[in-house]
Amino acid sequence: MARSRTVLAGAGLTAAALLLAACGAGGDAGSDAAGGAVRLTYVSYGGSGQDAQIKAFQEPYAAAHPDVTFVNSSPADIAQVKAQVTSGVVQWDVVSVAPAAATQHCGTLFEKLSFPDLKADDFVAKAIGECYVGNFGNASPFAYNADKYPDPAKAPQTIEDFFDTAKFPGKRGVITNLQNGILEYPLLADGVAPDKLYPLDVDRALKKWDTVRKDTIFAPNVGALQQAASSGQVDMFLLSDSRLIALLNEKKNIKIVWDTTVVSVNALAVPLGTKNKETAQDFLQSLVQPEPVAKITEMLGTVPVNLKAKPNLTDNGKLVEVYGPVNTGETVVQDVDWYAQNWDAVTTKLTNWLVG
């Protein structure tokens, strides 16, 4: 069963409803069409990242809308969305998704959305799409365990070092999610210039991974890699800023290598056929306002998608601020349009390589 939590507004859920939610049930407890109480099933990637989304996005909305209840599950999975839409039994209402995947399946797996009150000039590029909204920008810097490499002069300093097991022996870690740079980083390490990455040479990227495959943990999600880094199972890793700040908050001795860093937009979409589209759409519009955007940035150290947001970062937040003074290297923003045209093919090729 998916891991589930509940945020309540108004009357409490019954024990039976909680049990149903834990098994993945969604909008049938209440709907826009029926009126009255509405329960939104919110599916993300779990862990500290989803906890922050509950506090920054859901709790303020629930306080302002006493008839709305949130049920939280994880992990988000586009295959599950497809199964629900195909069967005509849509249980999820708001789902974390790559903007490219939402764009590719706009109108077939995800609802087309309308946000007349949002102005494009207030947001970073590609933050608002026809079938998604970006809830934050996500950087995946290269970091290492400073207990393993205590001398800064002899520690990794470039992305090339991540792939150099002779000079830097140890276990590597990377997330298999396309949004976390699994294809960009090997190409950068192989000499491709940041402004020449797209269209991605996927075969070349995987060939580069072959050189360190036996020394690398390919984690299925950010939580798994965060745990591996926290427990010392990996010595260097490509991990999202939201999980790096969690490690820093735990006082783990990690250092970030600001060479070239891959940044993507993390997004939320509404599965096609949900009974709660109007409420989900209103909720999505609320969470990209300056205040919730600033709050999620403060909690996770992520990149704010609303340019009017004014986050007050902690000291650890400043250490992972990809567009802050700490970043002395370059930044590559993923090409949403290229991924939207190639998402399924690239996903299949990567998956086949991982299991091959």
Side-chain angles (χ1 to χ4, degrees), residues 2-339:
R3 174 171 164 266
S4 300
R5 291 159 294 173
T6 307
V7 176
L8 301 180
L13 287 178
T14 64
L18 282 170
L19 180 60
L20 186 62
C23 293
D28 55 346
S31 68
D32 294 336
V38 177
R39 188 177 74 214
L40 293 182
T41 298
Y42 187 103
V43 186
S44 191
Y45 301 110
S48 57
Q50 190 154 349
D51 290 339
Q53 292 173 65
I54 290 171
K55 292 184 180 299
F57 302 152
Q58 297 176 23
E59 290 181 357
Y61 190 83
H65 300 80
D67 59 334
V68 177
T69 298
F70 289 90
V71 175
N72 281 270
S73 285
S74 64
D77 181 3
I78 195 169
Q80 287 286 336
V81 174
K82 184 175 182 179
Q84 292 179 27
V85 173
T86 301
S87 68
V89 184
V90 178
Q91 300 174 327
W92 295 351
D93 301 301
V94 177
V95 182
S96 287
V97 66
T103 300
Q104 184 182 45
H105 300 289
C106 187
T108 56
L109 294 183
F110 298 103
E111 294 279 358
K112 293 184 178 181
L113 305 172
S114 176
F115 302 108
D117 297 332
L118 300 183
K119 299 178 180 179
D121 291 346
D122 291 341
F123 297 90
V124 300
K126 302 298 181 180
I128 309 296
E130 188 177 12
C131 281
Y132 71 86
V133 296
N135 52 345
F136 49 78
N138 184 61
S140 298
F142 170 22
Y144 65 87
N145 182 342
D147 292 332
K148 175 72 174 184
Y149 310 104
D151 184 351
K154 298 179 180 179
Q157 298 180 22
T158 67
I159 190 60
E160 288 88 349
D161 293 338
F162 184 92
F163 290 87
D164 189 342
T165 55
K167 187 177 180 180
F168 297 98
K171 206 71 174 177
R172 277 79 171 145
V174 65
I175 304 159
T176 57
N177 190 325
L178 289 173
Q179 286 183 272
N180 294 98
I182 190 171
L183 296 179
E184 285 85 355
Y185 278 119
L187 293 172
L188 292 166
D190 206 38
V192 179
D195 62 347
K196 302 295 184 182
L197 276 173
Y198 302 95
L200 294 178
D201 187 337
V202 178
D203 291 332
R204 182 177 176 180
L206 297 179
K207 185 176 180 180
K208 186 68 173 178
W209 276 119
D210 281 330
T211 66
V212 296
R213 183 166 190 160
K214 65 182 180 62
D215 298 294
T216 304
I217 291 176
F218 294 91
N221 54 60
V222 289
L225 186 53
Q226 178 188 340
Q227 178 59 36
S230 179
S231 62
Q233 296 177 56
V234 291
D235 302 310
M236 56 181 74
F237 34 92
L238 303 169
L239 184 59
S240 61
D241 43 14
S242 62
R243 301 310 175 109
L244 289 175
I245 195 172
L247 293 173
L248 290 168
N249 290 341
E250 294 172 10
K251 302 190 183 303
K252 298 297 180 181
N253 188 17
I254 64 170
K255 301 295 182 183
I256 299 172
V257 178
W258 293 109
D259 181 19
T260 303
T261 302
V262 177
V263 179
S264 63
V265 173
N266 191 74
L268 296 169
V270 179
L272 185 69
T274 173
K275 298 176 182 178
N276 299 318
K277 178 183 176 180
E278 295 305 317
T279 302
Q281 187 170 257
D282 186 64
F283 167 63
L284 293 181
Q285 185 165 256
S286 77
L287 63 84
V288 292
Q289 301 304 316
E291 186 174 344
V293 168
K295 188 170 183 177
I296 199 73
T297 302
E298 292 166 359
M299 297 180 72
L300 296 181
T302 48
V303 181
V305 293
N306 191 316
L307 299 175
K308 292 185 176 181
K310 303 297 181 184
N312 182 21
L313 297 178
T314 64
D315 289 342
N316 284 340
K318 293 174 183 177
L319 291 178
V320 301
E321 189 183 12
V322 69
Y323 289 117
V326 68
N327 185 358
T328 55
E330 295 186 72
T331 301
V332 171
V333 179
Q334 285 191 329
D335 189 329
V336 172
D337 294 332
W338 183 87
Y339 270 109

